[in-house]
Amino acid sequence: MSNSDWLERTRAALWHPCTQMKQLEAMPPLPIARGEGPWLIDHDGRRYLDAVSSWWVNLFGHAEPRINRAIVDQLSRIEHVILAGCTHAPVVELSERLARLTGLGHAFYGSDGASATEIALKMSFHYWRNSGRPGKTGFVSLKNGYHGETLGALSVTDVALFKDTYAPLLRLSHQAMSPDWRLAAPGEAAEAYARRAAADLAAWLAEHADATAAVIVEPLVQGAAGMAMYHPAYLAELRALCDRHQVHLIADEIAVGFGRTGTLFACEQAAARVSDIADFICLSKGITGGYLPLSAVLTRDEIYAAFYDDRVARGFLHSHSYTGNPLACRAALAVLDIFAEDDVIARNRGRAARFTALLAEVRAHPRVRHFRHLGMIWAFEVDDAGPDFAADFHRRALGHGVFIRPIGHTVYFMPPYVIGEEEMRLMVDTVLTLLNT
Ligand SMILES: *Cc1c(COP(=O)(O)O)cnc(C)c1O
């Protein structure tokens, strides 16, 4: 079957995510037949560089042999089993390893990022209730933050296009000043601005901490805001504030975890371990290398202990059918093995330095503003971009064999960790051509 056969059937049978379906008349989706490293290949044999890691989930390319082998091996053992009343090796091993890596523990699993957000919010609220503080029911998140789109997650998300329509269904929360350094005053350094944002939150918490269960943030990079980046001093200040006011800190590392920001977890850039910053960490996206849906929430022993009781209702009774799926856990274990075997964090430093150097001409381009880079994420705004900029840029980049999806006027690269010189040059040449025409 060719591309056009699949397009026709797609239009008739599917509803795509984050898509006004009518726009597919002008901009049909790519019918992908297979993947190979950082490349996507359609049914007519055309190749596209996956510069957004398939919506930020892919780490080591498509059809990675070691992850493939782990899943195939697991298939012959047990593909799935209920996790209430049963346990299994992959879920135990993954939980132990994530605990060693984060300093948090008692992993609770869901199937996607939004469900991890829901789990962390519910756990935090329930902890305070079990601890005799039932009035702590509110949540704080950052302006322009994103934590998923189920109703609970959407209530702490601040993206108008996704949220405003559903506002009547949501339990609205407070959005604090974002530490995003693009918003700093002229001449104000990123760190000084981050501290000013923390002081703003301090003033709010001084009044509202008694009614607040948790602050939820995306550490270092607000992805959906357009890869907004901020100084790690904000996270250290936030930890101190949360201690002072007895409010939990939820680190949503769904997008930034697993090496994206240059350390295994973003919180490690503010303190030695994740547990020095966060009371809860939410993980998903890269956790399985982009293979299978899986998310996890890890927390502190003392939070876990507040649920451990003879009374059933004091337990955390949340459940999803596919909790701790063995195939997904094996993919995640293979991902952690690759981090160790290939010394991924160190190798990415070299890769990132090379790509940043190649991007010098983009950075200096007269239409480019706020060029920024952290770990394996690069982003910039394009001046004088019209209302159709994102769709137009996306469509034209496909003509050069590159799959990029700008957010508004922001162009970003979030490639798999296996891009080489050829792929880097293709991304740079494509963007330069599009900026010049
Ligand atoms: C993608 C994302 C989510 C939601 O994850 P889904 O799997 O899409 O539900 C939550 N938080 C952050 C920071 C994300 O980037």
Side-chain angles (χ1 to χ4, degrees):
M1 290 240 271
S2 69
N3 276 356
S4 55
D5 298 323
W6 287 115
L7 286 177
E8 208 168 301
R9 288 170 63 181
T10 294
R11 277 201 201 93
L14 268 82
W15 203 332
H16 287 271
C18 203
T19 301
Q20 167 48 267
M21 292 298 289
K22 188 157 193 289
Q23 286 175 357
L24 294 193
E25 291 174 17
M27 185 64 232
L30 295 182
I32 298 303
R34 57 198 182 87
E36 217 177 76
W39 294 93
L40 299 166
I41 302 157
D42 73 11
H43 283 270
D44 296 340
R46 263 191 298 269
R47 293 159 67 86
Y48 301 93
L49 182 61
D50 188 356
V52 300
S53 294
S54 289
W55 239 349
W56 320 349
V57 301
N58 191 287
L59 299 187
F60 303 121
H62 300 278
E64 207 291 330
R66 288 168 286 183
I67 305 177
N68 286 4
R69 270 200 303 276
I71 294 172
V72 169
D73 177 72
Q74 186 58 40
L75 268 175
S76 64
R77 298 170 192 271
I78 177 75
E79 75 300 326
H80 184 68
V81 61
I82 177 175
L83 199 67
C86 294
T87 187
H88 54 80
V91 80
V92 173
E93 286 174 17
L94 180 60
S95 305
E96 290 172 350
R97 287 175 71 174
L98 291 175
R100 279 200 295 277
L101 292 168
T102 60
L104 299 170
H106 307 289
F108 193 102
Y109 292 91
S111 313
D112 50 40
S115 59
T117 299
E118 303 283 346
I119 288 162
L121 298 177
K122 283 178 70 178
M123 266 186 188
S124 172
F125 158 79
H126 199 163
Y127 167 87
W128 294 117
R129 188 181 171 85
N130 281 353
S131 307
R133 309 279 304 272
K136 286 169 82 66
T137 60
F139 298 104
V140 187
S141 57
L142 297 181
K143 286 230 162 61
N144 305 320
Y146 183 92
H147 302 286
E149 292 169 61
T150 52
L151 295 178
L154 194 57
S155 74
V156 289
T157 284
D158 183 40
V159 178
L161 184 62
F162 304 153
K163 185 173 190 177
D164 286 357
T165 305
Y166 306 102
L169 304 182
L170 305 177
R171 190 173 173 280
L172 294 175
S173 57
H174 177 67
Q175 268 75 56
M177 179 173 162
S178 167
D180 169 5
W181 63 249
R182 294 174 303 174
L183 306 171
E188 186 178 31
E191 180 172 354
Y193 181 68
R195 293 193 191 280
R196 184 150 69 85
D200 187 75
L201 180 57
W204 190 87
L205 282 175
E207 301 230 338
H208 300 94
D210 282 349
T212 302
V215 180
I216 181 168
V217 297
E218 295 160 272
L220 300 189
V221 184
Q222 293 185 285
M227 303 300 155
M229 297 182 185
Y230 63 86
H231 196 279
Y234 186 80
L235 296 174
E237 295 244 0
L238 186 56
R239 177 66 263 164
L241 282 178
C242 287
D243 284 339
R244 191 180 323 142
H245 294 288
Q246 293 197 307
V247 167
H248 289 140
L249 197 168
I250 302 171
D252 175 353
E253 295 228 12
I254 289 166
V256 294
F258 300 98
R260 248 324 140 184
T261 65
T263 44
L264 189 60
F265 300 110
C267 284
E268 294 166 17
Q269 295 183 41
R273 309 200 72 190
V274 171
S275 55
D276 297 328
I277 297 291
D279 299 302
F280 297 88
I281 187 170
C282 301
L283 301 170
S284 188
K285 291 204 164 113
I287 192 171
T288 62
Y291 267 68
L292 289 161
L294 180 72
S295 63
V297 177
L298 286 86
T299 189
R300 296 189 191 285
D301 290 347
E302 73 203 55
I303 292 176
Y304 175 77
F307 292 78
Y308 200 81
D309 199 270
D310 290 327
R311 286 162 288 179
V312 173
R314 280 176 70 94
F316 191 62
L317 303 184
H318 188 91
S319 51
H320 293 292
S321 313
Y322 281 97
T323 298
N325 175 261
L327 295 170
C329 290
R330 277 297 296 277
L333 288 166
V335 162
L336 294 178
D337 288 342
I338 293 174
F339 269 102
E341 279 165 26
D342 292 2
D343 201 5
V344 170
I345 298 290
R347 277 211 223 167
N348 276 356
R349 272 197 286 275
R351 211 171 254 129
R354 178 67 187 142
F355 191 40
T356 302
L358 287 172
L359 282 163
E361 205 179 325
V362 171
R363 178 179 212 150
H365 195 281
R367 291 183 71 198
V368 168
R369 291 282 172 274
H370 293 137
F371 182 95
R372 52 201 180 272
H373 156 235
L374 186 67
M376 292 295 286
I377 308 173
W378 292 261
F380 55 87
E381 274 73 57
V382 175
D383 254 9
D384 64 50
D388 297 329
F389 172 81
D392 207 50
F393 200 91
H394 172 71
R395 185 182 47 76
R396 290 161 68 215
L398 287 179
H400 295 260
V402 181
F403 189 95
I404 325 185
R405 273 176 68 99
I407 300 173
H409 297 175
T410 304
V411 174
Y412 73 91
F413 300 106
M414 198 147 160
Y417 305 163
V418 293
I419 48 160
E421 184 78 14
E422 177 206 352
E423 288 92 11
M424 293 182 194
R425 285 185 182 277
L426 176 65
M427 287 189 280
V428 171
D429 291 346
T430 299
V431 163
L432 280 176
T433 305
L434 299 192
L435 287 173
N436 288 327
T437 52

